[in-house]
Each structure stands twice: as structure tokens, then as C-alpha cells.
Amino acid sequence: MSESAYRVETTSRLAQWRIENLASCTYRKSDPFKIGKWNWHLAVEKNRTLSIKLYPEISNLTRDNPPIASFIIRVVSSVGDRKTLAHPEITDRQLKNNDDFVWAIEVPLTGKFIIDVEFVDLKTASPEGGEPCSIWAEGFLQKESNATALASLGRMLSESIHTDIVINASDGSIGAHRAVLAVRSPVFRSMFSHDLKEKELSAINISDMSIEACQAFLNYIYGNIENEEFLTHRLALLRAADKYDILDLKEACHDSLLEDIDTKNVLERLQNASLYQLPKLKTSCMRYLVKFGKIFDIRDDFNAFLQCADKELIAEIFHEVLAAWKGF
């Protein structure tokens, strides 16, 4: 049996194990695969029923801080009409060993099938003894939020301390500081250094952003953004980061958009990945749609997407589809 028979393909939150054949009275355990900070295994045992197990690899990390997982697990026939069996969503299940989650399937399965695990959340126990906290809800700026300089800079914006320029969004205005904007963006610095209308009028018009998104944009620039605010406005922040050449914000948006790709957002993210030249996001969206077979779950949306998407992007998608047909 080839090594690939035990390999589990993953994205940041999705794992798929493709099984070509499972003889009667057979047990098989996958190679370890990494989701979050833990290594995991899937196991399949076929006797009178088919049993599927999901569990973390035993380690000091697992013993001291076992994952608390929320996930959706399915078995998908990879041939014919792709019949799917789905287990009810598991919420906040602590997993320590290989008996903490066992799914016994009564329906007989033959031929090739895929075990598909979508991790909705992973939590760890709080070191202070409080409620468990999600490893994916940690804000990307929290590690530096205790810096006095950042806190002071944030107060300059929130309290409008000596503002000297106005940002006009589509539905409101916010006061800001030339020096802060100039040091964070070469585009802003160029505006203030040349005889542009922004220099003369002491105003910048950002008519393609709402006041809420613009506030989030400035909060990021001033080091004062909250994680929920960032998540809410990621796509608007990505556009602004690209427009005003703020590379760290663009990279933060890129990394964040990789974390929660699903059938509801994958086409929009693929379009943005192409538009803003985000290679990791494009690759992940392609893999999610093609390699993981999610293109079958959103046929109508995908057909509508093909009517308006960039021709080069459509060609890339079909190239991936053709390549996949040659494989499993």
C-alpha cells in the first residue's frame, strides 16, 4: 500500500482523508496531520459497522492542554453522485485519546470515499482558570496592545488630539494626523509632500469606504484596532492596504482570510486573491474548490461566478480541474 493511502490533506481548518478501498474487518490509522497547534489522527475500523475516530496525537501538549474542538465531520463517496453522510456538528468536545470521538456508521460503504473534517473552532483552557479561549480568536495586535506608545497613539485618534487633516469617507468624516499617516503609507507621504489638493485643502477623500471601515483603517494605522473590528472589515481593509501601499496590513488581511475559507466566501476570496495578487489565498481557494471537491457543493454560485470572473482566473480554475481529473 502506498504512503499516500495514509496521508491526510489539510488547509488551515479542513482535513480530508481519501480512502480507495477498505477491506472487511480492517483497521487503518492515518499519518499525523497538523490543525492548529496539535497533530491529529483519523482512524477507520470496518467490522459489522464502520467506525471513524478523530483524536490528537499523544504528547506533552495534549496531556497538559488537550484541545477542545468544534467540528463537522462527513463521509463523502468520491464516485458517482457523491453521496454524503454527515454527523451532527460537534461543539466544544474535549479530545484526549482515541475513544473521545467515535462515529459508528450503520450504512454500508464500498469503493472510494473521503472523510472530510471541518474544524469550526479549537479552544484551549485559559491559564488563569477562566473560560477556554479559541486559538483562532486571538487578535493579531493583542501581543503589542500593552505598549504605552501604541496606547498613546490610539488616544490621539480617538480623542482627536491636535488633528490636522480630515478623512472624508462615503458617509462621514474623521480627524487624523498627517505625520502618522505619512509615516505609515508612502502614498499618504507623497500626497503631503507635493502640490496635491490634499495638501492645500487639508482633507483626503476616501469615498469608496464607509465611515465604519475607514475608522477600522485608521485604528489599524494608529495601533488601536480590535480583533472583531478587523474581522468585520477585512476586505475593505485589504482594498485600502493595496491602495495606500501599507504592506503589513495587506499581509495581515491575507493571513486572516486564509483561516476561515468556506463555501459561502470561497468565490469572493478567490476573486480578491486574483485582484490583489495574493498567491497563498488563491492557492488555498483553488485547493478548497478543486482538490477538496467543494466545487460540487456550490454549483449554482460557481456557474454565476463564471459569468463575470476574469478570463485568466477562469482559465486557471479549469486548469486545476483538469489536473485533478488525472488524479484520484
Side-chain angles (χ1 to χ4, degrees), residues 12-297:
S12 58
R13 297 199 188 195
L14 181 68
Q16 283 190 346
W17 189 16
R18 296 167 179 253
I19 297 176
E20 294 193 19
N21 184 39
L22 195 66
S24 60
C25 300
T26 289
Y27 173 83
R28 192 179 301 175
K29 183 177 78 170
S30 75
D31 288 337
F33 59 94
K34 192 174 183 70
I35 297 287
K37 62 177 74 174
W38 297 274
N39 287 323
W40 299 82
H41 286 284
L42 281 163
V44 180
E45 184 173 5
K46 186 176 180 182
N47 202 327
R48 293 182 178 177
T49 61
L50 182 72
S51 296
I52 298 175
K53 297 183 178 183
L54 172 69
Y55 55 94
E57 194 170 54
I58 300 301
S59 66
N60 290 335
L61 175 63
T62 306
R63 284 189 287 266
D64 298 339
N65 202 351
I68 301 170
S70 298
F71 57 92
I72 299 167
I73 185 167
R74 309 176 184 91
V75 173
V76 183
S77 171
S78 62
V79 294
D81 59 357
R82 292 178 65 87
K83 179 180 178 182
T84 300
L85 300 175
H87 190 284
E89 182 173 343
I90 300 296
T91 303
D92 291 345
R93 175 80 61 85
Q94 187 177 76
L95 301 178
K96 289 184 177 181
N97 55 57
N98 61 4
D99 290 322
D100 287 334
F101 175 76
V102 181
W103 180 17
I105 299 175
E106 301 289 342
V107 179
L109 289 172
T110 58
K112 299 179 181 180
F113 60 93
I114 301 168
I115 301 175
D116 181 296
V117 185
E118 182 177 351
F119 287 81
V120 179
D121 202 1
L122 281 173
K123 297 179 180 179
T124 61
S126 170
E128 292 80 23
E131 290 293 321
C133 54
S134 170
I135 66 169
W136 287 315
E138 298 170 356
F140 63 95
L141 290 177
Q142 271 72 1
K143 294 179 181 178
E144 299 183 19
S145 65
N146 60 344
T148 302
L150 274 180
S152 299
L153 200 63
R155 285 185 56 216
M156 286 173 58
L157 178 68
S158 62
E159 299 177 20
S160 300
I161 300 172
H162 299 305
T163 57
D164 57 6
I165 196 163
V166 174
I167 309 294
N168 295 319
S170 63
D171 53 350
S173 300
I174 308 170
H177 305 82
R178 292 169 179 266
V180 177
L181 299 180
V183 78
R184 292 292 280 117
S185 162
V187 176
F188 285 137
R189 183 165 63 249
S190 179
M191 285 182 182
F192 305 143
S193 301
H194 300 87
D195 292 329
L196 302 177
K197 63 181 181 179
E198 288 84 4
K199 179 179 180 181
E200 182 67 25
L201 298 175
S202 296
I204 300 173
N205 294 320
I206 309 182
S207 57
D208 58 348
M209 293 187 81
S210 68
I211 190 68
E212 291 84 5
C214 191
Q215 183 70 65
F217 180 47
L218 290 174
N219 283 344
Y220 179 90
I221 288 175
Y222 282 73
N224 196 36
I225 195 169
E226 298 292 337
N227 190 58
E228 287 302 316
E229 182 182 30
F230 173 76
L231 294 177
T232 299
H233 298 288
R234 276 178 295 183
L235 291 178
L237 292 173
L238 174 62
R239 290 192 292 269
D242 184 75
K243 180 178 180 180
Y244 295 106
D245 198 16
I246 303 178
L247 298 182
D248 54 304
L249 175 56
K250 187 174 181 178
E251 187 62 26
C253 294
H254 191 183
D255 290 342
S256 179
L257 291 168
L258 285 165
E259 293 181 352
D260 55 356
I261 296 169
D262 59 30
T263 53
K264 296 177 182 178
N265 61 39
V266 63
L267 295 177
E268 182 183 35
R269 295 197 182 175
L270 179 58
Q271 184 69 48
N272 279 283
S274 178
L275 180 62
Y276 297 112
Q277 298 180 336
L278 306 175
K280 290 186 294 183
L281 182 59
K282 180 188 282 189
T283 298
S284 291
C285 289
M286 289 283 198
R287 291 184 70 221
Y288 185 86
L289 283 170
V290 179
K291 192 174 185 65
F292 289 89
K294 297 304 178 180
I295 199 170
F296 294 99
D297 299 338

Side-chain angles (χ1 to χ4, degrees), residues 313-328:
L313 179 58
I314 293 174
E316 289 184 59
I317 295 172
F318 279 103
H319 176 78
E320 291 292 326
V321 171
L322 290 173
W325 282 353
K326 296 177 181 178
F328 180 72

